[in-house]
Amino acid sequence: METMWRNVLLTAIAPMAWGSTYFVTAEFLPPDRPLFAALMRALPVGLLLLALRPTLPTGSWWWRSLVLGTLNIGAFFVLIFVAAYRLPSGMAATLTATAPIAMMVVAWFLIGERPRRPAIAGSLLGVLGVSLLVLRAGFTVDPIGVAASLSAVAMSSVGYVLLKRWKAPVDLLTLTAWQLVAGGLMLLPVALLVEGAPPALDVRAVGGFLYVGLIGTALANYVWFRGLQRMPAASVSLIGLLNPVAGTLLGVAFAHEVFGAVQATGMALVLMGVLLGQPAIVSAARRKLGRGRGVRVTEAASLSVR
């Protein structure tokens, strides 16, 4: 049980860090340069990790690293930024909250992880909770934005499950470096063609990039991939629902965003959904309830004998 809680808490660092990057991006990074921001999140940090673990892929891991880096980093970042530009943030977050359902389906087909009922219930609670947490009235539906958001969910779900299926011959830090470098190299020509030369960076921007690169990307992806190696895909995907929770809390704390009963209810539903997706927690709760029923039955029997 202690190991399970350690895995859950370490994995939760990833969505919490990702949620904090929204605030850092808005407050510290150059405006209207999403592809450059994505590139700076991936390539420099990937090269730094590769310098710490100077090991190159061999054999099939050349193309596997490219596939994983494209699905989990490069294409994912591009699609997420397209969705962010074309959709209200609340709607984009709600569509992204369908990721647990997508990952359960992909894991079922690719690695035979059959989704359990509590995990399915947790994912539905999570989507509802995120909707209450972030959706606001007056949003508009942009078909391209919706397609980009759902495509990002689908691609990352496949990438994360493939990461579980393919057993890497190296340590996790090296595997993370390979993916970040591959994804960054995929982003490089796209960013240059679409946005042109890099912008000038001041001290605030440099600090922001250091945070989103080291914390929001390197550390976050490392603990996320670690969780995927040690936990069922459904459990990890539901932990990802903490992303909008972190973003909301930071918005309330630093941007004075509204937080009322509806948002509190949404947050509670998200947390319930995350807990339902952890098999060890569900099993422990069932054992506790079973022991409670056993005690009551024993007490009733003793009273009847008296």
Side-chain angles (χ1 to χ4, degrees), residues 198-225:
L201 302 179
D202 58 16
V203 175
R204 286 173 56 86
V206 171
F209 276 123
L210 286 174
Y211 178 84
V212 298
L214 296 175
I215 305 300
T217 303
L219 175 62
N221 280 283
Y222 177 84
V223 295
W224 185 254
F225 297 152

Side-chain angles (χ1 to χ4, degrees), residues 3-25:
T3 301
M4 182 277 300
W5 275 113
R6 186 186 303 114
N7 288 334
V8 170
L9 293 175
L10 284 174
T11 306
I13 293 173
M16 301 296 281
W18 290 330
S20 68
T21 60
Y22 303 138
F23 175 79
V24 175
T25 298

Side-chain angles (χ1 to χ4, degrees), residues 32-305:
D32 303 324
R33 302 301 296 267
L35 294 176
F36 175 74
L39 172 64
M40 292 298 290
R41 286 185 65 177
L43 189 55
V45 177
L47 292 173
L48 174 62
L49 294 182
L50 195 59
L52 296 175
R53 290 287 193 275
T55 303
L56 295 177
T58 58
S60 63
W61 273 97
W62 280 105
W63 67 265
R64 288 183 176 183
S65 298
L66 181 60
V67 170
L68 292 174
T70 299
L71 293 175
N72 296 336
I73 307 295
F76 176 75
F77 280 170
V78 171
L79 291 168
I80 283 295
F81 279 123
V82 170
Y85 266 89
R86 304 187 71 101
L87 294 175
S89 60
M91 187 175 186
T94 301
L95 291 173
T96 305
T98 62
I101 300 172
M103 196 182 296
M104 288 179 205
V105 173
V106 173
W108 190 0
F109 280 98
L110 288 185
I111 58 177
E113 279 190 7
R114 190 182 184 92
R116 300 185 178 189
R117 291 178 184 176
I120 296 173
S123 65
L124 296 176
L125 276 178
V127 174
L128 176 59
V130 171
S131 301
L132 293 175
L133 192 62
V134 298
L135 274 182
R136 302 291 186 269
F139 64 87
T140 57
V141 177
D142 181 284
I144 296 178
V146 171
S149 184
L150 294 179
S151 296
V153 167
M155 293 184 73
S156 61
S157 296
V158 173
Y160 294 151
V161 175
L162 285 177
L163 188 68
K164 289 179 65 68
R165 181 174 179 175
W166 293 336
K167 305 301 181 183
V170 293
D171 62 275
L172 187 55
L173 194 64
T174 303
L175 180 60
T176 303
W178 289 353
Q179 293 180 76
L180 289 172
V181 171
L185 291 175
M186 179 266 179
L187 279 166
L188 180 59
V190 178
L192 291 175
L193 286 172
V194 175
E195 296 181 352
L201 302 179
D202 58 16
V203 175
R204 286 173 56 86
V206 171
F209 276 123
L210 286 174
Y211 178 84
V212 298
L214 296 175
I215 305 300
T217 303
L219 175 62
N221 280 283
Y222 177 84
V223 295
W224 185 254
F225 297 152
R226 178 189 180 279
L228 285 168
Q229 289 184 341
R230 289 167 169 78
M231 302 165 64
S235 301
V236 177
S237 63
L238 281 164
I239 293 173
L241 293 174
L242 295 175
N243 184 330
V245 171
T248 298
L249 292 176
L250 285 172
V252 172
F254 295 102
H256 308 292
E257 294 179 359
V258 176
F259 189 87
V262 173
Q263 288 74 31
T265 302
M267 188 173 294
L269 291 175
V270 169
L271 295 177
M272 288 174 58
V274 172
L275 292 176
L276 276 175
Q278 312 309 314
I281 294 177
V282 174
S283 298
R286 286 174 175 170
R287 287 196 300 270
K288 187 173 182 179
L289 288 174
R291 286 197 297 268
R293 292 194 191 100
V295 169
R296 288 194 293 271
V297 170
T298 303
E299 290 176 348
S302 64
L303 288 174
S304 64
V305 170

